Amino acid sequence: KTPKPFLIVLDQFDQLLDVQTGSVFSDRPALNEWVITFNSRQCRCRILITSRYFPPNLLSAFVQQYIVKGLDLVDGAELLRKEGVEGAEADLQAATANCDGNALALKLLASLLKDRKISLQAFLKDSKSTHYWKGDVARNLVNSIYTNHLDELQRQLLVAFSIYREAVYLDAAVAILEGKTPLIDSQVQ
């Protein structure tokens, strides 16, 4: 028992779930058992899970679901404009619809357009860009930026420090830059 309750945040929990079924990946049985355990009894601590879809095995008397919808077409278009994307209202709204209103995906799209120095209209009409709009749009855009816009050193630094939510010591980054520490495999799944 803990002396005082804690707030535990599991951000982007959907990364641990099978997109097809919404369940925890079968190769992670301990995680599935953990979900069943905290789902079957009351706890003094509060667990906040953020996920793009709701795992079916999380429904119980101890779980409250709050659905946050994506941005509507007008708000998504406004976000793109604020990120420096220029284009006709119809194109901005089409991009928003393709991203299902996901604010992260829209911001990543704006970054991708800026990095590639391409207009939104050209991007939407480019047949090579259609793969971005299939499946998990945010993940597709992140993978593209990771694979095509970061050099190997940037990837290594990102992989090494992306789990931290606060500043890391400069000495740690320098150790990676100088090759003094073994690096995590930098493949994106």
Side-chain angles (χ1 to χ4, degrees), residues 10 12-25 31-32 34-36 38-39 49-60 63-67:
L10 302 174
Q12 298 179 345
F13 193 73
D14 50 280
Q15 299 297 310
L16 302 172
L17 304 175
D18 183 334
V19 176
Q20 303 298 323
T21 65
S23 300
V24 174
F25 285 112
L31 180 61
N32 197 42
W34 180 79
V35 167
I36 292 168
F38 87 73
N39 196 27
I49 297 175
T50 66
S51 180
R52 282 177 286 183
Y53 43 90
F54 197 73
N57 60 345
L58 279 184
L59 297 174
S60 79
V63 176
Q64 295 177 5
Q65 180 180 9
Y66 181 76
I67 298 173

Side-chain angles (χ1 to χ4, degrees), residues 71-131:
L71 299 174
D72 64 31
L73 297 180
V74 173
D75 290 337
E78 182 62 25
L79 175 62
L80 287 171
R81 271 193 225 90
K82 286 183 179 179
E83 292 296 318
V85 176
E86 296 177 3
E89 186 68 18
D91 290 340
L92 294 167
Q93 289 186 7
T96 300
N98 285 339
C99 291
D100 200 25
N102 183 304
L104 174 61
L106 291 168
K107 289 182 75 80
L108 292 171
L109 174 62
S111 175
L112 185 67
L113 294 174
K114 182 179 176 184
D115 289 349
R116 293 175 82 189
K117 296 176 176 55
I118 184 173
S119 72
L120 177 60
Q121 183 180 25
F123 184 79
L124 290 172
K125 290 183 179 180
D126 181 12
S127 62
K128 294 177 188 171
S129 301
T130 57
H131 73 279

